[in-house]
Amino acid sequence: MLLSIETPALLFSATSLILLAYTNRFLTIAQIVRGLKKTYDEQNNKSILLEIKNLNIRLSLIRYMQLFGVLSLFLSVFAMLLLFIESMTIGIYIFGLSLLSLLISLGISFWEISISVTALRVHLKDLIDSEN
């Protein structure tokens, strides 16, 4: 099986955009946590504390998403280096690990999105229940 040096390079733009999206999610959640922490300090509302715990889980997941995304990019570059020095077999396996890392990152992203959607549905349910 042959793998050209351009194939791992294809992941660069996709992985870079994914990492940018992950960073934006992290920064948004961090800002929300800071606001909720301030509100909790003023009101000692237990529901705010539960929301902060939920966001803390999401922050941890985003950290792992970023970890596996960066690992994917690193392994892609390493695979390119191996292909450049004509270590074809090892380069193919390293590129396979890069793809696996990207899959893990995307899987964790799906998990984090699921948690986010569930939390939003709880908020929406409260609004719908208050209308009735």
Side-chain angles (χ1 to χ4, degrees), residues 7 13 17 21 24 26 29 38 42-43 45 50 53-54 64 71-72 75 78 81 90 93-94 110-111 116 118 125 131:
T7 304
S13 60
L17 288 174
N24 286 338
F26 178 84
I29 292 174
K38 183 178 177 183
E42 294 167 356
Q43 299 176 3
N45 186 334
L50 291 173
K53 287 180 181 180
N54 178 294
Y64 287 114
L71 182 62
S72 174
L75 291 172
F78 192 53
L81 176 66
I90 298 170
Y93 285 116
I94 295 296
F110 182 75
W111 182 11
S116 175
T118 302
K125 185 180 181 312
E131 281 184 355

Side-chain angles (χ1 to χ4, degrees), residues 46-48 50-52 54 58 113-131:
K46 295 294 180 191
S47 66
I48 292 174
L50 291 173
E51 201 165 337
I52 290 172
N54 178 294
R58 290 179 57 201
I113 289 169
S114 306
I115 292 171
S116 175
V117 168
T118 302
L120 288 173
R121 284 195 176 136
V122 167
H123 283 288
L124 291 175
K125 185 180 181 312
D126 289 346
L127 288 175
I128 292 168
D129 289 348
S130 68
E131 281 184 355

Side-chain angles (χ1 to χ4, degrees), residues 1-32:
M1 179 177 178
L2 286 176
L3 183 68
S4 71
I5 197 167
E6 292 88 12
T7 304
L10 291 173
L11 284 183
F12 278 30
S13 60
T15 307
S16 297
L17 288 174
I18 288 170
L19 290 172
L20 181 62
Y22 292 169
T23 300
N24 286 338
R25 284 159 81 173
F26 178 84
L27 293 174
T28 300
I29 292 174
Q31 185 177 8
I32 292 168

